[in-house]
Amino acid sequence: MPLIGPPSMTAPAPTAEPPVTAGTSATAGSAVTHATATHVTARKIAYAKRARRWQLVLDDGEVRDVPEALVKAPADAANAGDPVPFQLSGDGRHFFYYRRSDGRFVERTLDSAERVVDSSLTVGGLNEQWTTVSADGAYVVIETSGPGIWMVDLRTGKELRPTDEADGYLVGFSPDQQRLLLASYARDQVTVYDRRLRTWTRLKTRVTPHALAGDYVTAVVLVYRKGRYRELQLLDLRTGRTTAPVTVRLPHGRYVKDVDFDGAGHLIVRSDTPAEITYYQVSAVTGEAKRLRTIGRPRKDRVLPGDNGR
């Protein structure tokens, strides 16, 4: 199974939680615009957690309620009672949720009011539509079971659609958020699009990529063996050639959960255990892994920055 969506490579370490305090928030019925929000606070969101209501835990330990966000699908929905996704951008500044007042998918920052992402995104379509947020929170990619895919530029409010037929799934954004990589099982191909969803590069291949590098022509592939990811190789999207698989030299008992390129072109691997999440910088040549940081593993009812909405 491929890993879908960009991994959380910028998640700050959660801190101990103080008593819950009420946070400032826009009312569900407030006016919504597509003006670009100004970040007043330097604080970021460490993670979100689901309880009787969604809550944000900031990197300084403050906890803010998000009472406007649906936790479960309402009784009159086809998917009544199902858990409702909550998403955080990779930079920890933007959060996305389906709001109680009308079931629409909205975006906010800690200092801004709500704005509707796309009027077609409603809580009733959770089993047929999926969203992926760019790391900077500026773009939302919508995939449907149709199949179909399009993108919303939150800076302008414009809806963008591919210039050709796109029936694949989103692998992820390049580190600078300027390109998107899509893969299609049905067509055995991968395609790189720019942020207007115009075709940049296309390759016929049966290899499944997992992340796109900053040069827009290199992808990383995780090798699946015996139910685990432990090896990786690089794929040239111009030629279709791959490097020889390299074993990622993680500590004993650890395996690769997710992978991405950082802005400097380094491969960053995420490895999870029941107790913690650890990020490593990995050499694609030797497989040597250098530990970058470890954070306590949030429970399954919590969301880290960069987690997707599936």
Side-chain angles (χ1 to χ4, degrees):
M1 291 294 290
L3 304 179
I4 309 297
S8 173
M9 296 301 171
T10 56
T15 55
E17 298 174 15
V20 175
T21 57
T24 59
S25 59
T27 59
S30 63
V32 177
T33 69
H34 282 282
T36 301
T38 300
H39 298 306
V40 177
T41 179
R43 290 186 296 174
K44 296 182 180 180
I45 303 166
Y47 59 89
K49 62 178 183 177
R50 188 203 322 255
R52 287 187 297 176
R53 63 181 61 182
W54 279 103
Q55 295 176 324
L56 301 174
V57 179
L58 308 190
D59 56 3
D60 63 1
E62 180 186 351
V63 179
R64 294 194 184 187
D65 284 349
V66 189
E68 301 87 2
L70 280 167
V71 174
K72 294 183 179 181
D76 59 352
N79 52 355
D82 287 355
V84 176
F86 192 103
Q87 289 176 262
L88 304 174
S89 60
D91 62 6
R93 297 188 181 279
H94 303 258
F95 54 106
F96 300 75
Y97 55 87
Y98 292 85
R99 65 184 178 192
R100 292 181 183 276
S101 62
D102 58 8
R104 295 190 184 277
F105 189 61
V106 299
E107 177 270 347
R108 277 186 57 197
T109 69
L110 294 173
D111 305 301
S112 74
E114 295 173 336
R115 52 181 174 178
V116 174
V117 172
D118 189 294
S119 60
S120 69
L121 289 173
T122 64
V123 68
L126 286 181
N127 296 328
E128 300 178 349
Q129 61 195 20
W130 304 274
T131 56
T132 300
V133 177
S134 64
D136 59 4
Y139 294 88
V140 176
V141 178
I142 299 106
E143 300 170 74
T144 70
S145 59
I149 189 167
W150 72 96
M151 184 166 64
V152 177
D153 183 344
L154 289 176
R155 303 171 308 169
T156 64
K158 291 184 178 180
E159 182 181 292
L160 306 170
R161 292 185 179 269
T163 54
D164 56 2
E165 186 176 0
D167 62 355
Y169 64 88
L170 177 67
V171 175
F173 287 83
S174 59
D176 63 4
Q177 313 300 295
Q178 297 298 313
R179 298 289 185 271
L180 299 83
L181 179 61
L182 274 71
S184 172
Y185 285 133
R187 299 187 182 188
D188 288 333
Q189 72 180 21
V190 293
T191 307
V192 178
Y193 292 92
D194 66 16
R195 290 199 301 189
R196 294 186 181 180
L197 288 184
R198 297 175 300 192
T199 301
W200 185 263
T201 304
R202 173 161 291 153
L203 173 69
K204 294 288 284 186
T205 179
R206 294 186 178 182
V207 176
T208 302
H210 292 81
L212 178 65
D215 62 4
Y216 313 145
V217 296
T218 303
V220 63
V221 176
L222 294 178
V223 181
Y224 191 68
R225 299 187 193 278
K226 298 181 180 180
R228 305 281 188 177
Y229 290 108
R230 189 66 185 266
E231 298 174 274
L232 59 80
Q233 55 189 157
L234 299 182
L235 168 66
D236 189 320
L237 297 174
R238 298 165 299 187
T239 67
R241 296 176 181 174
T242 57
T243 59
V246 173
T247 299
V248 181
R249 294 161 58 183
L250 296 175
H252 179 72
R254 283 189 175 269
Y255 299 90
V256 177
K257 171 67 174 179
D258 220 339
V259 64
D260 205 356
F261 292 91
D262 66 12
H266 301 129
L267 273 174
I268 309 298
V269 160
R270 169 178 164 178
S271 179
D272 291 9
T273 71
E276 62 189 26
I277 297 171
T278 304
Y279 296 92
Y280 299 87
Q281 180 180 313
V282 175
S283 168
V285 177
T286 66
E288 181 180 359
K290 175 185 176 182
R291 190 180 71 85
L292 299 177
R293 65 185 179 279
T294 297
I295 63 175
R297 180 178 175 84
R299 298 192 304 268
K300 63 181 180 180
D301 57 352
R302 299 186 185 182
V303 177
L304 293 173
D307 286 351
N308 61 51
R310 293 184 184 274

